[in-house]
Amino acid sequence: MVDDEGTATCPACHGPINWRNKMSIRERGRTFMVDVTKGGKRKRIACTTREEAESVNGKLSTAVVAIMEPQGWALREAVEQCRGAVWSGKGGERSAVRNSEAALAFFGESVRLDDITTDWVDAWIARLKQIGNSNGTVNRKLAALSKVMSYAHRRGKVKARPHFERQLESEGRLRYLTQEEEVRSLATLSQWGKDDHAEAFCVLVDTGLRPSELWRLEGRDCNFENGTMAIWQTKNKHPRSVP
């Protein structure tokens, strides 16, 4: 058994041991002594047979290995693995990575996934709200960490996932640009010399495309005979046609 300070409990004498321990077996009369040295102090565990002594010694060795070579992932490693396998090349990659970095900043890069408890996640939620994050922003950050945990759990790199308490979000409201706002925006982009941005702005306003859909648009997707554009990669996975 290993506690929070990285100290194992001896399975025979129930005393603390750590990776600095040196263990040996020696015969003494009719008993076999297992010596455990820690911090310059030696403890002896008496066994009646060599087999028993070797069993105790093996358990101690296993406990030491468990400390020296943790089986699970650290948070940074898990984030990088998830990024390469799940987020890479996707439209939301940048957002997902940014939200996962928020988790790294709070929990620490080297924390083991098994150490991230539900209580600790709740503390993170409280902290995010304290610094002014909206419920929607909190949920996006929770979703990134939840995805990392799920990815690691399916690969046996974390024993259990903590619970992520999703926050209640408002439905929001529709907002349309007025003609005056559209003219002002185009004038500003023109003043800045952002002609490409101004053209993209016009297309987005006139068609209602999402920016990610516009960036992926190709010439072959535009049918000038019937005046439509084919959008193949959409947020809800259903292609659609846009006038």
Side-chain angles (χ1 to χ4, degrees):
M1 182 176 180
V2 181
D3 64 20
D4 295 336
E5 298 178 356
T7 300
T9 300
C10 171
C13 69
H14 304 291
I17 61 172
N18 64 22
W19 65 271
R20 295 184 179 85
N21 290 343
K22 297 179 181 179
M23 292 163 286
S24 63
I25 300 174
R26 59 191 177 86
E27 189 173 353
R28 184 176 181 181
R30 295 184 178 182
T31 61
F32 294 86
M33 308 300 296
V34 180
D35 290 340
V36 181
T37 302
K38 178 186 177 185
K41 296 181 180 180
R42 185 171 61 181
K43 292 184 179 181
R44 296 184 179 90
I45 303 169
C47 302
T48 56
T49 65
R50 176 170 288 278
E51 288 75 14
E52 182 185 354
E54 289 176 349
S55 175
V56 169
N57 190 64
K59 291 178 181 179
L60 293 172
S61 299
T62 300
V64 170
V65 169
I67 297 171
M68 295 178 66
E69 301 178 2
Q71 298 300 307
W73 278 343
L75 182 55
R76 167 56 75 181
E77 182 181 5
V79 167
E80 294 302 327
Q81 292 284 346
C82 187
R83 178 178 183 177
V86 180
W87 297 327
S88 181
K90 303 291 180 60
E93 177 182 3
R94 183 180 300 179
S95 175
V97 171
R98 181 174 62 250
N99 289 329
S100 65
E101 290 292 335
L104 287 165
F106 181 81
F107 295 101
E109 297 192 359
S110 60
V111 65
R112 313 306 298 184
L113 295 185
D114 282 320
D115 293 333
I116 300 178
T117 63
T118 297
D119 286 343
W120 206 1
V121 172
D122 289 343
W124 185 35
I125 294 173
R127 176 57 181 164
L128 291 174
K129 289 185 172 183
Q130 183 183 30
I131 61 178
N133 284 194
S134 68
N135 283 0
T137 300
V138 171
N139 284 341
R140 303 295 88 74
K141 293 178 179 179
L142 289 176
L145 181 57
S146 177
K147 177 65 74 174
V148 169
M149 284 288 192
S150 295
Y151 180 82
H153 187 256
R154 287 193 294 268
R155 285 153 184 80
K157 302 302 182 180
V158 61
K159 294 176 182 177
R161 296 173 66 257
H163 175 69
F164 296 88
E165 191 69 37
R166 305 294 180 180
Q167 306 302 294
L168 183 63
E169 296 184 49
S170 63
E171 294 183 359
R173 63 188 181 92
L174 291 176
R175 171 70 161 83
Y176 297 95
L177 288 177
T178 65
Q179 287 187 343
E180 180 184 354
E181 289 172 328
E182 184 176 346
V183 169
R184 251 195 345 257
S185 298
L186 287 170
T188 300
L189 291 171
S190 178
Q191 182 180 354
W192 290 347
K194 303 289 187 179
D195 295 334
D196 289 344
H197 292 73
E199 291 181 357
F201 177 83
C202 287
V203 175
L204 293 171
V205 169
D206 292 341
T207 64
L209 289 177
R210 296 183 176 91
S212 60
E213 295 171 341
L214 178 58
W215 309 152
R216 288 193 292 262
L217 195 66
E218 298 183 17
R220 63 184 179 180
D221 299 327
C222 301
N223 188 325
F224 293 98
E225 293 183 3
N226 60 17
T228 61
M229 295 181 294
I231 310 302
W232 301 106
Q233 299 184 47
T234 65
K235 186 175 182 180
N236 59 12
K237 310 298 183 184
H238 298 298
R240 73 180 191 277
S241 179
V242 177

